[in-house]
Amino acid sequence: MQGITPLAAAAGGHFAVLTQGFPQLVRLSADVVHQDDSRTFGERSPVICQVRMVNEYPLVPDFERIEQMISEETRAA
């Protein structure tokens, strides 16, 4: 895909991400967010890592990887 970003190559150039819970703005500091190494994610995973935030364990998505995956799927269809 020389010269074309994965998002532009995806059909329509847009995509949506289904999430659990209600998205909200949260102020964070290094005191409350810590990387959680209890899980590992493969090289081609759409997840960068999991973090521990007080008593919650959200996943940090790899949007570039997600765009690439969508692009690959829409080209194959």
Side-chain angles (χ1 to χ4, degrees):
M1 283 196 302
Q2 294 175 321
I4 299 176
T5 64
L7 181 58
H14 302 281
F15 67 93
V17 177
L18 179 63
T19 62
Q20 292 180 329
F22 187 73
Q24 57 188 330
L25 180 62
V26 178
R27 290 186 187 265
L28 301 174
S29 70
D31 297 333
V32 296
V33 177
H34 306 281
Q35 186 164 339
D36 178 9
D37 293 325
S38 64
R39 292 175 65 183
T40 58
F41 301 95
E43 178 180 309
R44 296 182 48 83
S45 172
V47 176
I48 294 174
C49 68
Q50 182 170 343
V51 295
R52 181 171 43 91
M53 204 172 64
V54 187
N55 292 325
E56 297 186 28
Y57 296 86
L59 300 175
V60 177
D62 183 345
F63 286 110
E64 289 180 2
R65 176 68 186 125
I66 293 170
E67 289 175 8
Q68 181 182 23
M69 292 170 76
I70 292 169
S71 177
E72 290 168 1
E73 288 297 318
T74 55
R75 277 187 302 200

